[in-house]
Amino acid sequence: MPTSIHYKQFVHETVAGKIHIAALSLCSSLPSHALVKGNAPPLSKPKATSSNSDVKKKCTNVEECQELAMQQAEREQREALANVTPSLLTAGGTRYRDETVGDSSSLPITTNTAVTINYKVLKLGKRSYDGLSGEGTVVFSRGYGLEDDEDKAGSKSYSTIVGSPFNIIALNEALVGMRLGGIRRFVVLPQQGWQKPTKACDGGPGGRGSGGDLKTDYVVVPTATMVAQEACFDTSKQPFPTDYAKQRRMAQRFDQSLIMEVQVVKVGGDGLNGNVDGL
């Protein structure tokens, strides 16, 4: 029969032994979840294989990088064109796409109709694969609050008569068939825009002439080439920027294919060509 001191020592050793066994059991059956400082190692990246086309390949020299960039651009172009809404053609051959049809209860616009519009003239963006899509840089505008003389969107607009000889050809063609509130985007080739209709000048995109000495690489510099190029710039065609800086910008862009987006804000009125205050 153990004494009380021996009994207490016996119980203490027995309990300690069971705790030690339980601890060893837990340590052997459960994974370690110790917290340590630092970042977790990065996940391993899948290797590029013939069946894994989504994995980006790495280039090792300039030629390979250029080739991969061209392949990527071609893929993006194919994907973009596959998702683009097909464009339509006016009677005169201007390509357009309706962003908003407008008020179906209003009559379609016809030639000789007085209209008031907001517009933006844009140069093509990098992703404008079809010549209509994308949001390119605005060359000049009216009615969107982007010009220095516009306090806000709608404070100014442009009024004209459809078919006016003062308008660019593309605008006269694109306005036909639109309705009040409609928004239409269309292509402005140089010959349908601000380029003079002479054979010597008709050498840009969509042109039929040789262009001769007036055909440039679209880079305007203060040389004789710039003077010759501007001989083809028809500044009498409307709409036209009122700001000098925008006029100089147009002098660099008029012989390129541009995009114009118009919104019909009013049908009827006197239709005098020019900028008007907001309605």
Side-chain angles (χ1 to χ4, degrees):
M1 184 74 180
T3 64
S4 59
I5 296 175
H6 291 167
Y7 179 80
K8 289 180 180 180
Q9 184 177 358
F10 171 78
V11 171
H12 176 74
E13 292 176 354
T14 302
V15 172
K18 290 182 177 180
I19 293 174
H20 180 68
I21 293 172
L24 291 175
S25 176
L26 288 174
C27 292
S28 60
S29 61
L30 294 179
S32 174
H33 295 285
L35 297 178
V36 295
K37 292 184 179 181
N39 298 323
L43 297 176
S44 59
K45 296 182 179 179
K47 296 182 179 180
T49 62
S50 58
S51 61
N52 186 8
S53 59
D54 295 333
V55 178
K56 293 184 178 180
K57 299 179 181 178
K58 291 185 178 180
C59 52
T60 57
N61 54 57
V62 175
E63 288 77 13
E64 287 185 4
C65 292
Q66 291 176 342
E67 179 66 23
L68 290 176
M70 291 177 61
Q71 293 176 2
Q72 178 66 20
E74 290 175 357
R75 283 195 298 269
E76 292 178 356
Q77 181 175 358
R78 288 194 298 269
E79 293 173 359
L81 290 174
N83 298 323
V84 164
T85 303
S87 60
L88 303 173
L89 288 176
T90 66
T94 297
R95 290 199 305 119
Y96 73 92
R97 183 172 64 237
D98 284 324
E99 306 293 327
T100 303
V101 176
D103 185 0
S104 59
S105 63
S106 64
L107 294 174
I109 295 171
T110 59
T111 302
N112 297 323
T113 301
V115 295
T116 302
I117 62 172
N118 296 333
Y119 66 82
K120 289 188 290 187
V121 176
L122 311 104
K123 72 172 186 177
L124 273 63
K126 290 183 178 180
R127 302 185 185 279
S128 184
Y129 301 116
D130 61 344
L132 279 172
S133 302
E135 193 64 27
T137 303
V138 176
V139 182
F140 71 100
S141 66
R142 178 59 64 188
Y144 287 91
L146 303 176
E147 303 297 323
D148 293 337
D149 60 345
E150 295 179 330
D151 298 332
K152 57 182 179 180
S155 62
K156 299 280 186 178
S157 56
Y158 178 76
S159 183
T160 189
I161 295 178
V162 180
S164 168
F166 297 103
N167 293 335
I168 60 172
I169 297 173
L171 178 61
N172 282 333
E173 291 185 1
L175 284 172
V176 174
M178 291 189 69
R179 299 175 186 269
L180 181 65
I183 300 176
R184 178 169 290 182
R185 177 175 281 210
F186 54 94
V187 175
V188 182
L189 293 176
Q191 302 76 26
Q192 298 173 312
W194 293 268
Q195 182 173 275
K196 291 182 179 179
T198 62
K199 186 176 181 180
C201 297
D202 196 10
R208 289 173 293 220
S210 64
D213 295 334
L214 300 179
K215 185 175 182 181
T216 69
D217 59 356
Y218 309 139
V219 178
V220 178
V221 294
T223 65
T225 303
M226 176 180 176
V227 176
Q229 183 191 43
E230 290 196 345
C232 295
F233 188 20
D234 193 347
T235 59
S236 67
K237 289 297 184 181
Q238 298 295 321
F240 195 75
T242 56
D243 180 78
Y244 177 76
K246 300 297 177 64
Q247 292 175 4
R248 302 307 306 155
R249 185 180 297 176
M250 268 301 293
Q252 302 176 40
R253 303 294 180 190
F254 79 93
D255 58 350
Q256 301 179 26
S257 179
L258 300 171
I259 299 173
M260 190 168 182
E261 185 174 294
V262 298
Q263 178 184 23
V264 179
V265 296
K266 181 183 178 182
V267 179
D270 54 29
L272 295 177
N273 276 69
N275 300 323
V276 296
D277 293 332
L279 304 176

